[in-house]
Amino acid sequence: MKEECAVMGVFGSEDAAQLAYLGLYSLQHRGQESTGITASDGNHIFEHKGMGLVSKVFTPEVIRALPGHLAIGHNRYSTTGLSHQANIQPFLVDCKVGKIAVAHNGNIVNAVELRGRMEVDGSIFRSTMDSEVILHLIARSKKGTLEDMIIEAFGEIAGAYSLVFMTKERVIAARDPRGFRPLCLGSLDGARIVASESCAFDILGAMYEREVEPGELCVIDRTGLHSIRFAERAERLSKCIFEFIYFSRPDSKVFGENVDKIRRELGRRLAEESPAEADIVIAVPDSSNTIALGYSEVSGIPFELGLIRNHYVGRTFIQPRQRVRDWDVRIKFNPVRGVLQGRRVVVVDDSIVRGSTMRKLVSMLRHAGAAEVHLRIGSPPISHSCYYGIDTPTRGELIASTHSVDMIREFLGVDSLKYISLEGLLSCVSDPEHYCVACFGGGYPIESEGEHRKDVFEKDSSG
Ligand code: AMP
């Protein structure tokens, strides 16, 4: 049920679906598995959803068939096993307040329990998504207005949620009280825009206004934007630091900060903490480009393009019939021999998850003639799974949960390996106490069912 995604909302433009489409296009990096737009002209709701990229699912004809002045949209990330039609968002249902659609970024940590309870009560579920659980809670509420019904539902759920709802007449945006995932507000010629990241405003020529506050519900209709505080903003927020490390685009503003600025700072700090004797700095494009630039700036070691990325790798490609070693990484990256030959290379990457990509890359760099490979990582070792919406594998698959840094160095075959320290990472943001660092062993801010299940499993397997 993990959802790593992008959400969009538009109110007050005759081209609402078109704007949502463009926004989703710029937020493609947050999810490539499926996409959808739900639009309304005030009387009728229209929707179109499909598997694949935004550019594939939406054609000019499809967009023309989504008329109206309000729309919401969603891109869904690929998570194995759950990639089927029923899980494409926005999720639209008909209940006593009429039709309501929802697009969700985050992960509800008590969804299994809530769903189990509702199923015992006779509820029927169409998907395996958290978002459906939220809609069921709303539909069951006895409150008199939709806002109150949503707020009552929020009282039941725990975890990470940046949500955009739509009815025939309104767009409603909300963010959980701890603010795990980003969500921001913009405007364009009187229209209001809601988006996961501000790069969606740039593509529209819209203006960034502000974040949706943690614990805030923004109701947008013909009368304007009405802000309702449904919960006290948590004393300590749990904003996801991984948005800065890897997930968000560097040209975005996220949690009120420029991603590029923070990512460069990560590189600078990494260079201060862990210098290297080397001739060139290279990035693993594109995610670590900005971190590598920061590293190069402080170390004085020139930044070079030592790896070229093929941007046109689709979700499925025909596997070579002949066994090609490391073909999955080769299809994505190719080393530049002329740059690497005989050079001592600092390779900067944003993170090591399982370690398999880097192991293959290092072997490719050595074959291309790199004399030494010094690996510098812009995040501390990822030792714990995320339960709040970043798609990390189970704990056992995270190399840093079972291997020391030196063991990882050996596994990857690098001459030296250094990760940024947790203090170093947190020194790069302006309000370090308000970030979730659970994936680095920093403690889970909200208890999760997954955590319990995993603990039980671990206890079982350790006898
Ligand atoms: P791995 O082979 O599992 O160690 O993959 C590590 C690479 O995956 C890193 O270079 C990151 O750029 C990228 N990465 C990190 N976190 C994620 C994520 N949540 N989803 C997809 N890719 C990621």
Side-chain angles (χ1 to χ4, degrees):
M1 283 211 232
K2 231 165 242 179
E3 308 294 337
E4 228 173 311
C5 305
V7 297
M8 273 299 292
V10 179
F11 186 96
S13 164
E14 286 316 311
D15 298 318
Q18 170 90 31
L19 299 184
Y21 158 78
L22 287 171
L24 290 176
Y25 209 108
S26 73
L27 295 170
Q28 187 75 80
H29 61 287
R30 295 185 73 87
Q32 299 94 43
E33 179 190 278
S34 64
T35 184
I37 293 177
T38 307
S40 168
D41 58 8
N43 297 311
H44 296 102
I45 288 189
F46 309 86
E47 66 170 345
H48 185 81
K49 307 195 281 190
M51 300 295 293
L53 298 177
V54 174
S55 57
K56 180 193 146 223
V57 172
F58 294 104
T59 59
E61 299 75 57
V62 166
I63 296 288
R64 270 197 294 278
L66 295 169
H69 60 282
L70 58 158
I72 64 170
H74 188 264
N75 287 339
R76 187 161 191 274
Y77 197 82
S78 139
T79 48
T80 44
L82 298 167
S83 55
H84 51 79
Q85 210 78 20
N87 280 350
I88 308 179
Q89 296 192 34
F91 198 78
L92 176 67
V93 295
D94 215 340
C95 64
K96 58 178 177 273
V97 290
K99 283 195 166 133
I100 175 163
V102 65
H104 173 211
N105 174 207
N107 193 47
I108 304 302
V109 298
N110 61 341
V112 173
E113 183 214 318
L114 288 170
R115 181 177 165 141
R117 250 180 20 212
M118 287 189 273
E119 280 176 337
V120 167
D121 275 359
S123 292
I124 296 166
F125 284 81
R126 280 182 5 220
S127 76
T128 57
M129 289 186 299
D130 302 0
S131 330
E132 192 176 3
V133 173
I134 301 171
L135 286 179
H136 266 275
L137 288 170
I138 294 170
R140 290 157 72 107
S141 169
K142 303 274 188 293
K143 297 280 182 189
T145 67
L146 178 59
E147 292 92 313
D148 287 341
M149 291 163 82
I150 292 175
I151 292 169
E152 189 170 62
F154 285 174
E156 299 265 328
I157 59 177
Y161 50 95
S162 282
L163 291 162
V164 184
F165 297 95
M166 197 193 87
T167 65
K168 273 190 312 196
E169 288 131 1
R170 294 190 284 182
V171 168
I172 300 175
R175 196 163 156 223
D176 68 76
R178 284 182 169 268
F180 280 97
R181 309 248 71 90
L183 192 64
C184 47
L185 292 167
S187 61
L188 173 68
D189 303 330
R192 305 261 185 189
I193 322 280
V194 187
S196 294
E197 294 179 34
S198 71
C199 65
F201 300 151
D202 299 335
I203 195 172
L204 306 178
M207 223 172 61
Y208 173 88
E209 303 266 346
R210 65 175 178 90
E211 289 197 279
V212 173
E213 288 290 317
E216 185 188 18
L217 188 79
C218 295
V219 181
I220 308 168
D221 60 19
R222 289 250 183 238
T223 62
L225 185 151
H226 307 278
S227 165
I228 303 169
R229 181 152 284 290
F230 66 88
E232 277 307 308
R233 177 190 156 107
E235 214 162 283
R236 280 181 83 145
L237 301 182
S238 304
K239 296 183 283 184
C240 171
I241 197 111
F242 222 72
E243 290 282 347
F244 290 131
I245 295 166
Y246 168 78
F247 210 46
S248 297
R249 255 170 58 162
D251 51 336
S252 280
K253 203 174 212 176
V254 155
F255 304 135
E257 306 230 40
N258 292 319
V259 178
D260 169 83
K261 194 184 114 218
I262 307 258
R263 221 167 262 179
R264 253 171 224 264
E265 198 49 40
L266 283 178
R268 292 192 195 107
R269 181 71 196 219
L270 190 53
E272 279 161 15
E273 288 185 357
S274 303
E277 283 287 318
D279 305 308
I280 55 169
V281 174
I282 69 164
V284 181
D286 296 314
S287 54
S288 69
N289 286 349
T290 318
I291 308 178
L293 281 172
Y295 191 97
S296 165
E297 186 193 313
V298 161
S299 64
I301 306 170
F303 175 81
E304 289 279 357
L305 296 175
L307 279 170
I308 300 301
R309 177 171 172 186
N310 185 335
H311 286 101
Y312 310 99
V313 181
R315 290 193 45 78
T316 48
F317 31 76
I318 302 159
Q319 292 196 21
R321 207 138 44 118
Q322 233 181 333
R323 197 171 161 272
V324 179
R325 214 162 62 96
D326 307 337
W327 62 274
D328 52 337
V329 174
R330 271 170 207 274
I331 204 155
K332 208 164 155 193
F333 301 108
N334 199 28
V336 185
R337 265 171 198 280
V339 170
L340 298 163
Q341 193 92 49
R343 297 294 209 9
R344 296 169 302 168
V345 183
V346 176
V347 180
V348 177
D349 203 359
D350 53 87
S351 57
I352 297 175
V353 182
R354 295 177 181 83
S356 46
T357 312
M358 187 49 73
R359 189 178 197 203
K360 294 170 187 173
L361 272 177
V362 170
S363 135
M364 278 163 61
L365 294 170
R366 292 221 188 261
H367 274 98
E372 290 176 18
V373 179
H374 301 277
L375 184 57
R376 298 293 178 266
I377 305 295
S379 59
I382 300 176
S383 55
H384 288 67
S385 302
C386 176
Y387 301 114
Y388 314 118
I390 291 275
D391 179 31
T392 44
T394 56
R395 197 158 173 218
E397 290 172 84
L398 295 167
I399 191 166
S401 75
T402 49
H403 292 63
S404 67
V405 173
D406 201 51
M407 285 158 81
I408 300 172
R409 185 195 60 72
E410 210 164 290
F411 171 79
L412 300 175
V414 289
D415 297 281
S416 73
L417 165 64
K418 302 277 182 194
Y419 290 85
I420 197 170
S421 66
L422 187 54
E423 307 75 65
L425 167 66
L426 289 171
S427 75
C428 299
V429 294
S430 53
D431 49 350
E433 67 281 14
H434 292 297
Y435 281 86
C436 173
V437 290
C439 54
F440 311 124
Y444 289 106
I446 300 185
E447 262 190 25
S448 141
E449 293 167 333
E451 196 184 330
H452 283 311
R453 281 206 301 274
K454 218 153 283 169
D455 282 344
V456 167
F457 177 71
E458 273 166 14
K459 274 179 210 134
D460 283 348
S461 60
S462 65

